[in-house]
CSV table of all heavy atoms in Angstrom, one decimal:
chain,number,residue,atom,x,y,z
I,97,VAL,N,-68.2,43.7,60.1
I,97,VAL,CA,-68.5,42.3,59.6
I,97,VAL,C,-70.0,42.2,59.3
I,97,VAL,O,-70.3,41.6,58.3
I,97,VAL,CB,-68.1,41.3,60.7
I,97,VAL,CG1,-68.5,39.9,60.3
I,97,VAL,CG2,-66.5,41.4,60.9
I,98,ARG,N,-70.9,42.7,60.1
I,98,ARG,CA,-72.3,42.6,59.8
I,98,ARG,C,-72.6,43.3,58.5
I,98,ARG,O,-73.4,42.8,57.7
I,98,ARG,CB,-73.1,43.1,61.0
I,98,ARG,CG,-73.2,42.2,62.2
I,98,ARG,CD,-74.2,42.7,63.2
I,98,ARG,NE,-73.9,44.0,63.7
I,98,ARG,CZ,-73.1,44.2,64.8
I,98,ARG,NH1,-72.6,43.2,65.4
I,98,ARG,NH2,-72.9,45.4,65.3
I,99,ARG,N,-72.0,44.4,58.3
I,99,ARG,CA,-72.2,45.1,57.0
I,99,ARG,C,-71.7,44.3,55.8
I,99,ARG,O,-72.4,44.3,54.8
I,99,ARG,CB,-71.5,46.5,57.1
I,99,ARG,CG,-72.0,47.5,56.1
I,99,ARG,CD,-71.8,48.9,56.6
I,99,ARG,NE,-70.4,49.3,56.8
I,99,ARG,CZ,-69.8,49.6,58.0
I,99,ARG,NH1,-70.5,49.5,59.1
I,99,ARG,NH2,-68.6,49.9,58.1
I,100,ILE,N,-70.6,43.7,56.0
I,100,ILE,CA,-70.0,42.9,54.9
I,100,ILE,C,-70.9,41.7,54.6
I,100,ILE,O,-71.2,41.4,53.4
I,100,ILE,CB,-68.6,42.4,55.3
I,100,ILE,CG1,-67.6,43.6,55.3
I,100,ILE,CG2,-68.1,41.3,54.3
I,100,ILE,CD1,-66.3,43.2,55.9
I,101,LEU,N,-71.4,41.0,55.6
I,101,LEU,CA,-72.3,39.9,55.4
I,101,LEU,C,-73.6,40.3,54.8
I,101,LEU,O,-74.2,39.6,54.0
I,101,LEU,CB,-72.6,39.2,56.8
I,101,LEU,CG,-71.4,38.5,57.4
I,101,LEU,CD1,-71.7,37.9,58.8
I,101,LEU,CD2,-70.9,37.3,56.5
I,102,ARG,N,-74.1,41.5,55.2
I,102,ARG,CA,-75.3,42.0,54.6
I,102,ARG,C,-75.2,42.3,53.1
I,102,ARG,O,-76.0,42.1,52.3
I,102,ARG,CB,-75.8,43.2,55.4
I,102,ARG,CG,-77.2,43.7,55.1
I,102,ARG,CD,-77.7,44.7,56.2
I,102,ARG,NE,-76.9,45.9,56.2
I,102,ARG,CZ,-76.2,46.3,57.2
I,102,ARG,NH1,-76.1,45.5,58.3
I,102,ARG,NH2,-75.5,47.4,57.1
I,103,LEU,N,-74.0,42.9,52.8
I,103,LEU,CA,-73.7,43.3,51.4
I,103,LEU,C,-73.5,42.1,50.5
I,103,LEU,O,-74.0,42.0,49.4
I,103,LEU,CB,-72.5,44.2,51.3
I,103,LEU,CG,-72.8,45.7,51.7
I,103,LEU,CD1,-71.4,46.4,51.8
I,103,LEU,CD2,-73.6,46.4,50.7
I,104,PHE,N,-72.6,41.1,51.0
I,104,PHE,CA,-72.1,40.1,50.1
I,104,PHE,C,-72.8,38.7,50.4
I,104,PHE,O,-72.6,37.8,49.6
I,104,PHE,CB,-70.6,40.0,50.2
I,104,PHE,CG,-69.9,41.3,49.8
I,104,PHE,CD1,-69.1,41.9,50.7
I,104,PHE,CD2,-70.1,41.9,48.6
I,104,PHE,CE1,-68.5,43.1,50.4
I,104,PHE,CE2,-69.5,43.0,48.2
I,104,PHE,CZ,-68.7,43.7,49.2
I,105,GLY,N,-73.5,38.6,51.5
I,105,GLY,CA,-74.2,37.3,51.8
I,105,GLY,C,-73.3,36.2,52.2
I,105,GLY,O,-72.1,36.4,52.4
I,106,PRO,N,-73.8,35.0,52.2
I,106,PRO,CA,-73.1,33.8,52.7
I,106,PRO,C,-71.9,33.4,51.8
I,106,PRO,O,-71.0,32.6,52.2
I,106,PRO,CB,-74.1,32.7,52.7
I,106,PRO,CG,-75.2,33.1,51.8
I,106,PRO,CD,-75.2,34.6,51.9
I,107,GLU,N,-71.9,33.9,50.5
I,107,GLU,CA,-70.8,33.5,49.6
I,107,GLU,C,-69.7,34.6,49.6
I,107,GLU,O,-69.0,34.8,48.6
I,107,GLU,CB,-71.4,33.3,48.2
I,107,GLU,CG,-72.4,32.2,48.1
I,107,GLU,CD,-71.9,30.9,48.6
I,107,GLU,OE1,-70.8,30.5,48.3
I,107,GLU,OE2,-72.7,30.2,49.3
I,108,ALA,N,-69.7,35.4,50.7
I,108,ALA,CA,-68.7,36.5,50.7
I,108,ALA,C,-67.3,36.1,50.6
I,108,ALA,O,-66.5,36.7,50.0
I,108,ALA,CB,-69.0,37.3,52.0
I,109,LEU,N,-67.0,34.9,51.3
I,109,LEU,CA,-65.5,34.5,51.4
I,109,LEU,C,-64.8,34.3,50.1
I,109,LEU,O,-63.8,34.9,49.9
I,109,LEU,CB,-65.4,33.3,52.3
I,109,LEU,CG,-64.0,32.8,52.5
I,109,LEU,CD1,-63.1,33.9,53.1
I,109,LEU,CD2,-64.0,31.6,53.5
I,110,PRO,N,-65.4,33.5,49.1
I,110,PRO,CA,-64.7,33.4,47.8
I,110,PRO,C,-64.5,34.7,47.1
I,110,PRO,O,-63.5,35.0,46.5
I,110,PRO,CB,-65.6,32.5,47.0
I,110,PRO,CG,-66.5,31.8,48.0
I,110,PRO,CD,-66.6,32.7,49.2
I,111,LEU,N,-65.5,35.6,47.2
I,111,LEU,CA,-65.4,36.9,46.6
I,111,LEU,C,-64.3,37.8,47.2
I,111,LEU,O,-63.5,38.4,46.5
I,111,LEU,CB,-66.7,37.7,46.8
I,111,LEU,CG,-66.8,39.1,46.3
I,111,LEU,CD1,-66.5,39.2,44.8
I,111,LEU,CD2,-68.1,39.8,46.6
I,112,LEU,N,-64.2,37.8,48.6
I,112,LEU,CA,-63.2,38.5,49.3
I,112,LEU,C,-61.8,38.0,49.0
I,112,LEU,O,-60.8,38.7,48.9
I,112,LEU,CB,-63.4,38.5,50.8
I,112,LEU,CG,-64.7,39.2,51.3
I,112,LEU,CD1,-64.9,38.9,52.8
I,112,LEU,CD2,-64.6,40.7,51.0
I,113,GLN,N,-61.6,36.6,48.9
I,113,GLN,CA,-60.3,36.0,48.6
I,113,GLN,C,-59.9,36.3,47.2
I,113,GLN,O,-58.7,36.5,46.9
I,113,GLN,CB,-60.4,34.5,48.8
I,113,GLN,CG,-60.5,34.1,50.3
I,113,GLN,CD,-60.7,32.7,50.5
I,113,GLN,OE1,-61.4,32.0,49.7
I,113,GLN,NE2,-60.2,32.1,51.6
I,114,ARG,N,-60.9,36.4,46.3
I,114,ARG,CA,-60.6,36.7,44.9
I,114,ARG,C,-60.2,38.2,44.7
I,114,ARG,O,-59.3,38.5,43.9
I,114,ARG,CB,-61.7,36.3,44.0
I,114,ARG,CG,-61.5,36.4,42.5
I,114,ARG,CD,-62.6,35.7,41.7
I,114,ARG,NE,-63.9,36.3,41.8
I,114,ARG,CZ,-64.9,35.8,42.5
I,114,ARG,NH1,-64.7,34.6,43.1
I,114,ARG,NH2,-66.0,36.4,42.6
I,115,ASN,N,-61.0,39.0,45.3
I,115,ASN,CA,-60.8,40.5,45.2
I,115,ASN,C,-61.1,41.2,46.5
I,115,ASN,O,-62.2,41.7,46.7
I,115,ASN,CB,-61.6,41.1,44.1
I,115,ASN,CG,-61.4,42.6,43.9
I,115,ASN,OD1,-60.5,43.1,44.5
I,115,ASN,ND2,-62.3,43.2,43.1
I,116,PRO,N,-60.1,41.3,47.4
I,116,PRO,CA,-60.3,41.9,48.7
I,116,PRO,C,-60.7,43.4,48.6
I,116,PRO,O,-61.2,44.0,49.5
I,116,PRO,CB,-59.0,41.7,49.4
I,116,PRO,CG,-58.0,41.5,48.4
I,116,PRO,CD,-58.7,40.8,47.3
I,117,TYR,N,-60.4,44.0,47.5
I,117,TYR,CA,-60.7,45.4,47.3
I,117,TYR,C,-62.2,45.7,47.1
I,117,TYR,O,-62.6,46.9,47.1
I,117,TYR,CB,-59.9,46.1,46.1
I,117,TYR,CG,-58.5,46.3,46.6
I,117,TYR,CD1,-57.5,45.4,46.2
I,117,TYR,CD2,-58.1,47.4,47.3
I,117,TYR,CE1,-56.2,45.6,46.7
I,117,TYR,CE2,-56.8,47.7,47.7
I,117,TYR,CZ,-55.9,46.7,47.4
I,117,TYR,OH,-54.6,47.0,47.8
I,118,VAL,N,-63.1,44.7,47.1
I,118,VAL,CA,-64.5,44.9,47.1
I,118,VAL,C,-64.9,45.6,48.4
I,118,VAL,O,-66.0,46.1,48.6
I,118,VAL,CB,-65.3,43.7,46.8
I,118,VAL,CG1,-65.1,43.1,45.4
I,118,VAL,CG2,-65.1,42.6,47.9
I,119,LEU,N,-64.0,45.5,49.4
I,119,LEU,CA,-64.3,46.0,50.7
I,119,LEU,C,-64.2,47.6,50.7
I,119,LEU,O,-64.4,48.2,51.8
I,119,LEU,CB,-63.4,45.4,51.8
I,119,LEU,CG,-63.5,44.0,52.1
I,119,LEU,CD1,-62.5,43.5,53.0
I,119,LEU,CD2,-64.9,43.7,52.7
I,120,SER,N,-63.8,48.1,49.6
I,120,SER,CA,-63.6,49.6,49.5
I,120,SER,C,-64.9,50.3,49.9
I,120,SER,O,-64.9,51.5,50.3
I,120,SER,CB,-63.2,50.0,48.1
I,120,SER,OG,-61.9,49.5,47.9
I,121,GLY,N,-66.1,49.6,49.7
I,121,GLY,CA,-67.3,50.2,50.0
I,121,GLY,C,-67.6,50.3,51.5
I,121,GLY,O,-67.7,51.3,52.2
I,122,PRO,N,-67.7,49.1,52.2
I,122,PRO,CA,-68.0,49.0,53.6
I,122,PRO,C,-66.9,49.5,54.5
I,122,PRO,O,-67.2,49.8,55.7
I,122,PRO,CB,-68.4,47.6,53.8
I,122,PRO,CG,-67.7,46.8,52.7
I,122,PRO,CD,-67.7,47.7,51.6
I,123,LEU,N,-65.6,49.4,54.1
I,123,LEU,CA,-64.5,49.8,55.0
I,123,LEU,C,-63.8,51.0,54.4
I,123,LEU,O,-63.7,51.2,53.2
I,123,LEU,CB,-63.5,48.7,55.1
I,123,LEU,CG,-63.9,47.4,55.9
I,123,LEU,CD1,-62.8,46.4,55.8
I,123,LEU,CD2,-64.1,47.8,57.3
I,124,PRO,N,-63.3,51.9,55.3
I,124,PRO,CA,-62.4,53.0,54.8
I,124,PRO,C,-61.2,52.5,54.2
I,124,PRO,O,-60.6,51.5,54.5
I,124,PRO,CB,-62.1,53.8,56.1
I,124,PRO,CG,-62.3,52.8,57.2
I,124,PRO,CD,-63.4,51.9,56.8
I,125,TRP,N,-60.7,53.3,53.2
I,125,TRP,CA,-59.5,52.9,52.4
I,125,TRP,C,-58.3,52.6,53.3
I,125,TRP,O,-57.5,51.6,53.1
I,125,TRP,CB,-59.1,53.9,51.4
I,125,TRP,CG,-57.9,53.6,50.6
I,125,TRP,CD1,-56.7,54.1,50.7
I,125,TRP,CD2,-57.9,52.7,49.5
I,125,TRP,NE1,-55.8,53.6,49.8
I,125,TRP,CE2,-56.5,52.7,49.0
I,125,TRP,CE3,-58.8,51.8,48.9
I,125,TRP,CZ2,-56.1,51.9,48.0
I,125,TRP,CZ3,-58.4,51.0,47.8
I,125,TRP,CH2,-57.0,51.1,47.4
I,126,SER,N,-58.2,53.3,54.4
I,126,SER,CA,-57.0,53.2,55.3
I,126,SER,C,-57.0,51.8,55.9
I,126,SER,O,-56.0,51.3,56.3
I,126,SER,CB,-57.0,54.2,56.4
I,126,SER,OG,-58.2,54.2,57.1
I,127,LYS,N,-58.2,51.1,56.0
I,127,LYS,CA,-58.2,49.8,56.6
I,127,LYS,C,-58.2,48.7,55.5
I,127,LYS,O,-57.6,47.7,55.6
I,127,LYS,CB,-59.5,49.6,57.4
I,127,LYS,CG,-59.5,50.4,58.7
I,127,LYS,CD,-60.7,50.0,59.6
I,127,LYS,CE,-60.7,50.7,60.9
I,127,LYS,NZ,-61.8,50.3,61.8
I,128,VAL,N,-58.9,49.1,54.4
I,128,VAL,CA,-58.9,48.1,53.2
I,128,VAL,C,-57.6,47.8,52.6
I,128,VAL,O,-57.2,46.7,52.4
I,128,VAL,CB,-59.9,48.6,52.1
I,128,VAL,CG1,-59.8,47.7,50.9
I,128,VAL,CG2,-61.3,48.7,52.6
I,129,ASP,N,-56.8,48.9,52.3
I,129,ASP,CA,-55.6,48.8,51.5
I,129,ASP,C,-54.6,47.9,52.2
I,129,ASP,O,-54.0,47.0,51.5
I,129,ASP,CB,-55.1,50.1,51.2
I,129,ASP,CG,-54.0,50.1,50.1
I,129,ASP,OD1,-54.1,49.2,49.2
I,129,ASP,OD2,-53.0,50.8,50.2
I,130,PRO,N,-54.2,48.1,53.5
I,130,PRO,CA,-53.2,47.2,54.0
I,130,PRO,C,-53.6,45.8,54.1
I,130,PRO,O,-52.8,44.9,53.8
I,130,PRO,CB,-53.0,47.8,55.5
I,130,PRO,CG,-53.6,49.2,55.4
I,130,PRO,CD,-54.6,49.2,54.4
I,131,LEU,N,-54.9,45.5,54.4
I,131,LEU,CA,-55.4,44.2,54.4
I,131,LEU,C,-55.4,43.5,53.0
I,131,LEU,O,-54.9,42.4,52.8
I,131,LEU,CB,-56.8,44.2,54.9
I,131,LEU,CG,-57.7,43.0,54.7
I,131,LEU,CD1,-57.2,41.8,55.5
I,131,LEU,CD2,-59.2,43.2,55.1
I,132,ALA,N,-55.9,44.2,52.0
I,132,ALA,CA,-56.0,43.7,50.6
I,132,ALA,C,-54.6,43.6,50.0
I,132,ALA,O,-54.4,42.6,49.3
I,132,ALA,CB,-56.9,44.6,49.8
Side-chain angles (χ1 to χ4, degrees):
V97 172
R98 285 191 296 274
R99 197 153 65 245
I100 290 168
L101 292 174
R102 193 166 62 246
L103 281 170
F104 302 120
E107 301 305 315
L109 182 56
L111 175 62
L112 294 173
Q113 289 174 325
R114 189 167 63 252
N115 180 10
Y117 282 97
V118 295
L119 292 174
S120 294
L123 287 176
W125 180 256
S126 59
K127 288 188 176 180
V128 171
D129 192 38
L131 164 65

